[in-house]
Amino acid sequence: MRAQFQAQVQTPLPSAPELVLVTDLDGTLLAGEPADRRRLYRWLSACREQVLHIFATGRERRSVAELFQAPEHALLRQPHLVISDVGCTVACGDSLELVPLVVDDIERQWQPFAERVLALTQGQPGLSPQPVCVERRHAFDADPELLDPELMQRLRQEGVDCVFSDGRYLDVLPPGVNKGTTLQRVLELLEMQQVPVVVAGDTLNDLGLFQTGYAGVMVGNAEAPLLEWLPQLPNTYLANGAGCSGILEGLEHFGFGSLLAQGAS
C-alpha cells in the first residue's frame, strides 16, 4: 500500500522518518512568537528526511495554497501531505492534488448525506455557508447566539458528525471522519504505525487528533472548549507557549530535543 500511496503524491516521502509531526494551521503552526516560528519553519525545512510533516486543517485546499503566497510565511515550506477540510480531504503537500487511495472512501461515505444536510440547514437562523470550496463536508459560519440549540442534535440523528469550533465555525462531516481518523488511515497506508507521532492543535476541530492517543501538544492559546477535554486525553501535553512556541515546547517535552538540535546544526 505504501508504494501505491507514494505513486499518488508528487513529493518524495521520507523512507524511514524518526517522527511524524502533524500540525493544525491557524492558531497553531501560524501562531506563536516570531522567533519560534522562524526556528520551527527552518527546522522543518532542514529535516525533510527525518520528519514527515503533515498539515491537518479545517481550511480547504485553495486556502492552504494561498498561505505560501503570503510574505509572512516565506520560511514555511510546503508539508509532505495535507489533511484538509477537517479530515475529509488528503492531498500531496507540493501539488495539493488529491490522494484517491484515501479520498475515494471518504467521498463514498459522504454522498448519502450531502443533500440531507443541506435540507436541514437551509434557512436556519445564525447559519450561513462559508464562501469556500469545501469537499466532502458542509462548512458554515455560525452565530451561537442565534443558532437553534437543537440543530446539531438533529444533524447527528441523520448520522453525520458535527464540530463547532473557535466559537464561530460549524462543520458537518461524514460519520466517523475527522482529522484523527484520517491521519490514522494515512499512516496505516504508509505502513508507519511504528513511527512516533506528535500532533498539535488549538480548537475543537483538532479534538480528533488528540483522541487518537498519539502524543499531543495542546498549544497555550487553545480555546476553552478544547481545554475542557484535557483530563480525558492522558497523552496530551498542555504547553505554556502559543502556536509554534508551544509546538517546540511539546517536542522537547516528548523527548525530541536531540532531533530539534540536529536540525539546528
Side-chain angles (χ1 to χ4, degrees):
M1 281 295 191
R2 179 186 170 92
Q4 187 178 352
F5 192 109
Q6 177 65 83
Q8 293 183 357
V9 298
Q10 296 177 11
T11 189
L13 303 177
S15 57
E18 298 174 46
L19 171 68
V20 176
L21 179 62
V22 185
T23 56
D24 173 52
L25 291 177
D26 299 282
T28 305
L29 190 66
L30 303 182
E33 293 295 326
D36 288 334
R37 289 175 65 180
R38 290 192 294 270
R39 180 189 172 197
L40 183 59
Y41 296 173
R42 288 191 176 111
W43 176 73
L44 286 167
S45 182
C47 291
R48 294 284 288 184
E49 279 304 307
Q50 294 90 353
V51 180
L52 174 68
H53 186 205
I54 302 175
F55 286 177
T57 178
R59 293 185 180 222
E60 42 90 30
R61 287 184 293 155
R62 183 177 58 188
S63 178
V64 173
E66 290 169 354
L67 282 179
F68 301 100
Q69 302 166 14
E72 63 266 32
H73 306 313
L75 292 175
L76 180 60
R77 186 167 175 180
Q78 289 179 244
H80 295 94
L81 298 168
V82 173
I83 295 172
S84 59
D85 292 293
V86 199
C88 297
T89 300
V90 177
C92 169
D94 278 348
S95 67
L96 292 175
E97 291 296 320
L98 296 176
V99 180
L101 199 57
V102 188
V103 170
D104 287 354
D105 285 342
I106 298 174
E107 182 70 39
R108 281 191 288 271
Q109 289 175 264
W110 176 238
Q111 280 307 310
F113 301 99
E115 293 302 321
R116 284 150 57 186
V117 169
L118 277 181
L120 275 173
T121 54
Q122 192 166 16
Q124 285 291 319
L127 203 64
S128 58
Q130 289 183 18
V132 295
C133 180
V134 293
E135 300 178 285
R136 290 160 292 282
R137 64 163 172 152
H138 287 311
F140 302 93
D141 293 317
D143 183 338
E145 293 187 2
L146 298 176
L147 198 62
D148 181 349
E150 297 182 0
L151 176 62
M152 287 207 292
Q153 181 60 31
R154 292 199 297 272
L155 287 166
R156 290 185 176 117
Q157 287 172 348
E158 287 291 322
V160 294
D161 288 348
C162 300
V163 179
F164 185 69
S165 62
D166 203 24
R168 53 184 173 151
Y169 300 127
L170 175 63
D171 289 289
V172 184
L173 312 171
V177 175
N178 57 57
K179 292 181 181 181
T181 56
T182 298
L183 171 63
Q184 289 174 312
R185 179 59 176 156
V186 166
L187 296 181
E188 177 188 357
L189 291 168
L190 289 175
E191 301 169 11
M192 288 187 181
Q193 297 98 319
Q194 304 308 312
V195 180
V197 179
V198 174
V199 302
D202 71 305
T203 73
L204 273 178
N205 75 21
D206 300 310
L207 179 60
L209 291 174
F210 297 119
Q211 289 177 324
T212 59
Y214 297 135
V217 182
M218 200 177 288
V219 293
N221 52 310
E223 66 170 342
L226 181 62
L227 291 171
E228 292 175 4
W229 282 87
L230 193 58
Q232 300 177 51
L233 303 169
N235 211 27
T236 295
Y237 169 74
L238 177 59
N240 292 305
C244 288
S245 309
I247 296 172
L248 290 166
E249 183 185 331
L251 288 170
E252 293 275 3
H253 171 81
F254 285 112
F256 294 100
S258 59
L259 186 57
L260 282 171
Q262 177 182 339
S265 61

